[in-house]
Amino acid sequence: MLRLTDSNTRTLLAQPESGMGYQVVEATLSDYKTKRGVAYNAELLLFEEEPRHIMLSTLYLKLLESARSAT
């Protein structure tokens, strides 16, 4: 899970949503590998291999605070 940078957020906001409040994305990581995931509100990226139940059991702001920052 990553907290997206302001630059990432601006880029996503310029793109259409996949659904209300989220976008399915492919991210290039610092090691140049790519991973698929879902960006929520153009600010939090949850990778496809991460469990989705965390979104139901944890407050969104807590998730955002605990996510490591994207580079």
Side-chain angles (χ1 to χ4, degrees):
M1 181 171 30
L2 294 176
R3 184 177 60 249
L4 299 175
T5 65
D6 290 339
S7 175
N8 299 141
T9 296
R10 284 190 301 277
T11 300
L12 286 173
L13 289 174
Q15 303 297 318
E17 292 182 326
S18 301
M20 189 175 227
Y22 72 93
Q23 292 160 299
V24 177
V25 299
E26 188 170 279
T28 302
L29 306 177
S30 58
D31 61 2
Y32 301 105
K33 293 180 182 177
T34 58
K35 286 178 116 178
R36 291 181 51 87
V38 177
Y40 295 94
N41 298 323
E43 61 187 358
L44 182 68
L45 175 59
L46 193 63
F47 294 110
E48 66 183 359
E49 70 274 2
E50 295 179 297
R52 296 283 180 256
H53 73 276
I54 193 168
M55 297 296 291
L56 298 173
S57 61
T58 308
L59 290 174
Y60 181 79
L61 287 176
K62 293 279 188 200
L63 289 174
L64 197 55
E65 290 172 1
S66 67
R68 71 181 201 270
S69 182
T71 55

